[in-house]
């Protein structure tokens, strides 16, 4: 599903953000990406969503060579690979339903599809009672659920979560990770960058740890040993 071969990223200022990364992630895996601030997690994510290009190496995701995507294929690619963020990034003046529907509208999906998929996805994330609510009246955990619904309503092959529990209390964070695990069980490959030690230890999923741009640990059912470098 995802294959990085000998990937390095040097920014224009000469900083090596990633060095010789070799990483294979199978379809429907759940992977935690851990490491201290500056370790290279965001850079790796930006390469996966093709916001940046690597300096050297090859990246294959969901059948695409990410380095050689034409403009048209980049659109298709971004439908297969969805993202959620720490700060939710919802549209405050649109209801929950409209926020989620937007992801289908920009992909030119039919009204029938929208009317079917949006309620289905809101039910999946447990937000049916909030369908007509505006995001800012919701709790942080509920807002992240809206963001997750928006990210998965197009049924992506890969969901990338960048510190999705960074603004949430421990109980709410656990609920969000449980939801990501459920989405993973339904067939989506999930990559979650996190500092949240409790979450990683509790979930017992694959852990890939970066230190200064290098993979120093790749464990099938790992724990968080952060700070060990
Ligand atoms: P993390 O997400 O783990 O905090 P980053 O990928 O953001 O790590 O950063 C890795 C290294 O690359 C850091 O030294 C950071 O300062 C540097 N870096 C990140 N983005 C840029 C950029 N756009 N230009 C120059 N250096 C960058």
């Amino acid at each position: 599903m995802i294959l990085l071969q000998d990937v390095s990223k040097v920014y224009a200022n000469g900083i090596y953000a990633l060095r010789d990364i070799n990483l294979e992630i199978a379809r429907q895996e759940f992977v935690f990406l851990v490491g201290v601030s500056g370790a290279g997690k965001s850079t790796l994510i930006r390469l996966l969503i093709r916001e940046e290009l690597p300096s050297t190496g090859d990246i294959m995701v969901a059948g695409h060579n990410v380095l050689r995507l034409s403009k048209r294929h980049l659109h298709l690619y971004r439908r297969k690979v969805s993202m959620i963020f720490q700060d939710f990034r919802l549209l405050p003046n649109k209801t929950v339903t409209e926020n989620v529907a937007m992801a289908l509208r920009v992909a030119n999906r039919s009204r029938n599809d929208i009317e079917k998929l949006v309620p289905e996805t809101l039910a999946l994330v447990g937000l049916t009672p909030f369908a007509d609510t505006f995001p800012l009246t919701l709790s942080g955990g509920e807002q992240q659920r809206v963001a997750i619904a928006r990210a998965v309503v197009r049924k992506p092959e890969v969901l990338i979560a960048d510190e999705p529990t960074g603004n949430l209390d421990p109980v709410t964070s656990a609920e969000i990770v449980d939801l990501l695990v459920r989405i993973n069980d339904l067939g989506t490959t999930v990559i979650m960058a996190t500092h949240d030690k409790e979450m990683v230890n509790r979930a017992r999923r694959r852990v890939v740890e970066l230190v200064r741009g290098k993979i120093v640990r790749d464990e099938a059912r790992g724990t968080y040993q952060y700070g060990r470098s």
Side-chain angles (χ1 to χ4, degrees):
M1 161 63 62
I2 295 176
L3 183 65
L4 283 87
Q5 285 181 308
D6 302 322
V7 169
S8 292
K9 175 69 183 176
V10 195
Y11 285 111
N13 57 5
I15 287 182
Y16 259 91
L18 294 173
R19 286 173 196 268
D20 301 325
I21 298 293
N22 286 288
L23 180 64
E24 190 168 355
I25 297 174
R27 184 177 293 277
Q28 217 184 329
E29 261 194 289
F30 190 116
V31 181
F32 286 112
L33 191 59
V34 304
V36 297
S37 184
K41 304 181 297 296
S42 307
T43 300
L44 184 52
I45 287 174
R46 287 202 292 272
L47 294 180
L48 290 175
I49 60 170
R50 186 37 164 90
E51 226 176 81
E52 297 268 5
L53 285 168
S55 307
T56 55
D58 273 314
I59 303 177
M60 299 288 301
V61 180
H64 296 269
N65 181 331
V66 177
L67 279 64
R68 300 211 187 98
L69 288 170
S70 63
K71 216 169 175 182
R72 191 171 72 84
H73 283 105
L74 189 57
H75 278 298
L76 292 173
Y77 180 71
R78 295 225 162 109
R79 285 174 203 173
K80 290 188 181 179
V81 181
S82 270
M83 278 231 36
I84 57 168
F85 306 90
Q86 180 169 349
D87 57 358
F88 322 133
R89 304 196 186 178
L90 300 171
L91 298 168
N93 57 346
K94 305 257 181 217
T95 64
V96 166
T97 292
E98 287 163 345
N99 265 277
V100 178
M102 196 62 81
L104 296 170
R105 290 223 174 84
V106 297
N108 296 318
R109 298 289 289 266
S110 70
R111 220 161 98 186
N112 275 351
D113 275 2
I114 294 175
E115 281 169 6
K116 175 173 169 288
L117 291 171
V118 174
E120 227 176 72
T121 311
L122 289 182
L124 171 72
V125 303
L127 284 182
T128 304
F130 300 102
D132 299 321
T133 306
F134 288 88
L136 293 180
T137 65
L138 298 175
S139 70
E142 288 159 352
Q143 290 187 51
Q144 191 59 291
R145 284 171 189 274
V146 180
I148 292 171
R150 185 183 54 185
V152 302
V153 70
R154 293 195 303 216
K155 303 192 189 308
E157 294 188 32
V158 183
L159 175 62
I160 300 178
D162 193 0
E163 295 277 359
T165 61
N167 286 335
L168 305 176
D169 65 75
V171 173
T172 309
S173 296
E175 289 169 1
I176 292 296
V177 173
D178 288 347
L179 177 56
L180 294 177
V181 167
R182 196 159 2 120
I183 286 162
N184 177 243
D185 287 340
L186 293 172
T188 305
T189 306
V190 176
I191 301 172
M192 173 169 161
T194 186
H195 278 103
D196 199 332
K197 201 169 168 173
E198 288 298 305
M199 273 323 105
V200 175
N201 291 344
R202 185 174 156 271
R204 306 292 289 174
R205 298 284 168 139
R206 183 175 173 192
V207 176
V208 172
E209 182 178 356
L210 288 171
V211 173
R212 288 186 287 274
K214 274 187 171 279
I215 294 178
V216 297
R217 182 162 67 106
D218 186 349
E219 273 184 288
R221 294 173 86 71
T223 55
Y224 205 118
Q225 298 170 8
Y226 165 68
R228 197 179 38 108
S229 80

